[in-house]
Amino acid sequence: MDPGRRDMIENQGSFKNRSATAPRFDPNNRARKATRPDTHSKTAQKTAKYLSQDEQSRQFVADEDKFVLKQSKKKADIRVREGRAKPIDHLAFNLRYIESERDVFDDDDGDIDIELQAPATVVENLGVDQLNELQADIGTLLVLETDATNRKYWEALQTLCGDRKSKLDPQGREDRVLHSVAEDIDRILSPKTYDQLEALEKQIRAKLRSNENIDADYWEQLLCKLFVCKSKATLTRIFQAASEARAKLFHEQRRNPDQPQSQPIASDSHSTDAVAPGGAQPSGNEDASQVTKALYDREAARGISENEEIFTAEEAVPSSVKPQWTEKYRARKPRYFNRVQMGYEWNKYNQTHYDHDNPPPKVVQGYKFNIFYPDLIDVTKAPTFKIIREHGRRRGESHAAAGEADTCLIHFIAGPPYEDIAFRIVDREWDYSAKRDRGFRSTFDKGILQLHFQFKKIFYRK
């Protein structure tokens, strides 16, 4: 008999529970695990960049909600400034000092002088119709709001509005029979902190779930009042944080007399700590306003690329007549964040004597000037610049020694209250083309003068 058939007959019991269509066990073959997709492969990474249609729809709705919420807060700020604010506007205005994503350009110089109104006070002074309108406005903001602190703020206000409405409408209160113990409940809850209220809430819920013979109406009323007290504690904590942030900003502005826009010269002055020009902190009479700091931080956050370096080759401005506006406004030096573009020039000489493993020295290939003028008195006149060549040298002429490059001064001119500023740059012909990589840019928008240019590349033909 065939040995394989004999083994099958002897081991017949082990095959009874096996499916007829299942693969046969072969000890000579090794089972392999199913391959997993390689998440680090280039194909997987490219696929992850593309969003599905549902994801794109969700992203679009989220962006639209964010835009609508931002516009709602802007409108509230405008109504508060103009003295025609509704209750929801005063309540939204309180959050502006603790919002991390708030844009500094949405603020006004006079906003710091507007007093914040306590949320509990705003709600206490409203009637039933106003409370209904406020609850509807809060519900709209809660749908759009994503910040956790802001959501707690609006949810606490919803609870406070509901409690205030129940007090103004005693006929509809379910707890009217417990009016006699209302003072006792207030006396128990009023002195407790937020943490103590949370601990008491757990105890009350446990008592209501138990089988004890208790006065359920009393304990349910106590639980409802506890929610109101927790909401008041949450609003007090958030309002205190906003008030402290406002007070800190208020004192900073008062210590810096140069910050308010178009402020005339005062009788006293304050000096700031001296730091290197173009650094993270202003030096001397450098502009130290909050708007300028925000512009500087935004530009610095973009960083520098591999072929760029921070450029701070500041020079003394050529002597000229002192402008007349210095008698009215205190002159301040504009801040800047400039970059110089460096690279290799692979001309015939460098191709002969150097290679990619041993490259030639880097040379200047262009500049990116970003100078901040957010507080110009006359916003209709944009800052300008001019090129100054010393020693009577004209454009296209070279007085430099062999192997060196001619330099010149680029002189930036604004208006009050900003001083002129100058930098020494390499004097070569600029490339005015509009290409994306080498595009020439000379703009003044939102208080930023941008002058970006690269030098023309010279190609020699045989």
Side-chain angles (χ1 to χ4, degrees):
M1 184 182 292
D2 182 64
R5 182 173 178 81
R6 181 184 298 109
D7 293 338
M8 183 181 68
I9 294 173
E10 293 176 355
N11 301 324
Q12 189 174 3
S14 61
F15 295 96
K16 289 182 180 180
N17 298 327
R18 195 182 72 177
S19 174
T21 59
R24 294 185 178 181
F25 173 75
D26 187 355
N28 297 323
N29 291 335
R30 180 181 178 183
R32 297 181 60 187
K33 294 182 179 180
T35 57
R36 296 180 180 178
D38 186 7
T39 57
H40 300 285
S41 64
K42 293 184 178 180
T43 305
Q45 292 176 358
K46 290 181 179 179
T47 305
K49 293 181 180 179
Y50 298 98
L51 299 176
S52 65
Q53 186 174 1
D54 293 341
E55 291 174 339
Q56 290 178 357
S57 301
R58 285 194 294 269
Q59 184 66 34
F60 175 79
V61 172
D63 293 341
E64 185 178 13
D65 290 347
K66 187 176 181 180
F67 172 77
V68 173
L69 178 63
K70 185 176 180 181
Q71 292 301 114
S72 300
K73 293 179 180 179
K74 281 185 178 181
K75 293 177 182 178
D77 293 346
I78 293 173
R79 287 192 289 265
V80 170
R81 295 183 192 121
E82 296 178 353
R84 53 186 181 89
K86 300 187 296 183
I88 189 67
D89 300 330
H90 288 295
L91 296 172
F93 193 82
N94 293 341
L95 296 175
R96 67 198 324 271
Y97 295 104
I98 58 175
E99 288 182 335
S100 57
E101 297 182 357
R102 184 172 182 84
D103 193 347
V104 69
F105 293 106
D106 295 338
D107 298 341
D108 192 78
D109 290 336
D111 291 349
I112 195 69
D113 298 323
I114 300 176
E115 294 291 337
L116 302 182
Q117 297 189 15
T121 304
V122 174
V123 174
E124 289 293 329
N125 296 329
L126 300 180
V128 177
D129 294 337
Q130 291 175 312
L131 287 169
N132 290 331
E133 182 182 359
L134 179 58
Q135 281 188 308
D137 294 335
I138 293 175
T140 302
L141 291 177
L142 271 174
V143 173
L144 303 174
E145 190 64 73
T146 57
D147 185 81
T149 301
N150 293 355
R151 289 191 62 85
K152 291 180 180 179
Y153 179 80
W154 295 120
E155 289 171 354
L157 278 168
Q158 284 273 42
T159 305
L160 220 61
C161 290
D163 179 69
R164 178 60 181 169
K165 285 173 61 178
S166 65
K167 290 180 179 179
L168 295 176
D169 186 18
Q171 291 83 9
R173 296 187 69 184
E174 297 178 357
D175 58 324
R176 57 183 179 272
V177 296
L178 300 175
H179 180 71
S180 59
V181 296
E183 294 182 358
D184 295 336
I185 293 176
D186 291 337
R187 187 175 62 255
I188 294 173
L189 299 179
S190 297
K192 293 187 178 298
T193 63
Y194 186 86
D195 294 336
Q196 292 173 339
L197 290 172
E198 280 195 330
L200 181 59
E201 179 185 356
K202 295 179 181 179
Q203 296 175 8
I204 295 174
R205 290 186 181 277
K207 186 176 288 292
L208 289 172
R209 288 194 301 265
S210 66
N211 296 325
E212 299 178 15
N213 187 14
I214 60 174
D215 187 354
D217 291 337
Y218 170 79
W219 290 105
E220 288 176 357
Q221 174 64 14
L222 181 61
L223 188 62
C224 291
K225 295 294 293 183
L226 185 142
F227 290 152
V228 176
C229 292
K230 284 180 63 178
S231 299
K232 289 182 178 179
T234 300
L235 292 174
T236 301
R237 175 174 53 83
I238 296 177
F239 180 73
Q240 184 177 1
S243 301
E244 291 175 355
R246 174 186 174 273
K248 181 179 179 181
L249 183 61
F250 182 83
H251 291 309
E252 288 178 356
Q253 289 191 4
R254 291 299 175 269
R255 284 199 302 267
N256 181 16
D258 288 339
Q259 182 168 347
Q261 185 173 357
S262 67
Q263 178 182 358
I265 292 180
S267 58
D268 59 342
S269 60
H270 301 272
S271 61
T272 56
D273 297 335
V275 187
Q281 298 294 333
S283 61
N285 65 333
E286 211 170 33
D287 188 6
S289 66
Q290 291 293 327
V291 177
T292 303
K293 182 179 181 299
L295 293 175
Y296 180 91
D297 293 341
R298 179 179 298 180
E299 186 64 33
R302 297 178 181 175
I304 55 177
S305 61
E306 295 180 358
N307 64 332
E308 293 179 345
E309 297 177 6
I310 297 177
F311 180 66
T312 58
E314 189 176 337
E315 292 281 335
V317 178
S319 59
S320 58
V321 180
K322 192 174 183 180
Q324 296 181 354
W325 57 262
T326 54
E327 299 176 359
K328 185 177 180 181
Y329 302 103
R330 179 180 289 106
R332 67 180 77 168
K333 178 183 171 184
R335 294 191 70 183
Y336 55 85
F337 192 92
N338 303 333
R339 302 174 178 87
V340 56
Q341 295 174 287
M342 308 293 291
Y344 303 113
E345 284 193 354
W346 293 103
N347 51 34
K348 290 295 183 182
Y349 180 85
N350 289 343
Q351 291 178 16
T352 304
H353 296 83
Y354 300 96
D355 53 30
H356 290 282
D357 295 331
N358 184 26
K362 284 187 176 182
V363 296
V364 176
Q365 294 183 339
Y367 295 91
K368 290 183 178 180
F369 290 96
N370 302 279
I371 306 178
F372 311 121
Y373 300 103
D375 295 335
L376 278 176
I377 302 300
D378 188 358
V379 295
T380 61
K381 295 182 180 179
T384 59
F385 65 91
K386 62 180 179 180
I387 301 298
I388 301 176
R389 298 178 176 87
E390 299 98 338
H391 310 299
R393 185 172 60 86
R394 297 181 179 180
R395 180 180 179 181
E397 296 181 349
S398 178
H399 294 177
E404 297 181 0
D406 290 291
T407 61
C408 61
L409 290 180
I410 181 168
H411 181 190
F412 291 94
I413 307 155
Y418 293 102
E419 300 176 347
D420 294 354
I421 192 171
F423 301 91
R424 183 166 296 277
I425 63 174
V426 175
D427 189 11
R428 289 174 55 187
E429 188 175 0
W430 295 6
D431 185 356
Y432 291 95
S433 62
K435 296 179 181 179
R436 181 178 179 85
D437 296 335
R438 305 180 57 82
F440 174 81
R441 176 185 295 180
S442 178
T443 62
F444 179 68
D445 184 35
K446 296 182 180 179
I448 306 177
L449 173 65
Q450 289 188 323
L451 177 63
H452 299 178
F453 61 88
Q454 291 191 11
F455 300 127
K456 279 188 174 181
K457 290 186 177 181
I458 302 175
F459 298 94
Y460 296 95
R461 296 183 178 179
K462 295 183 180 179

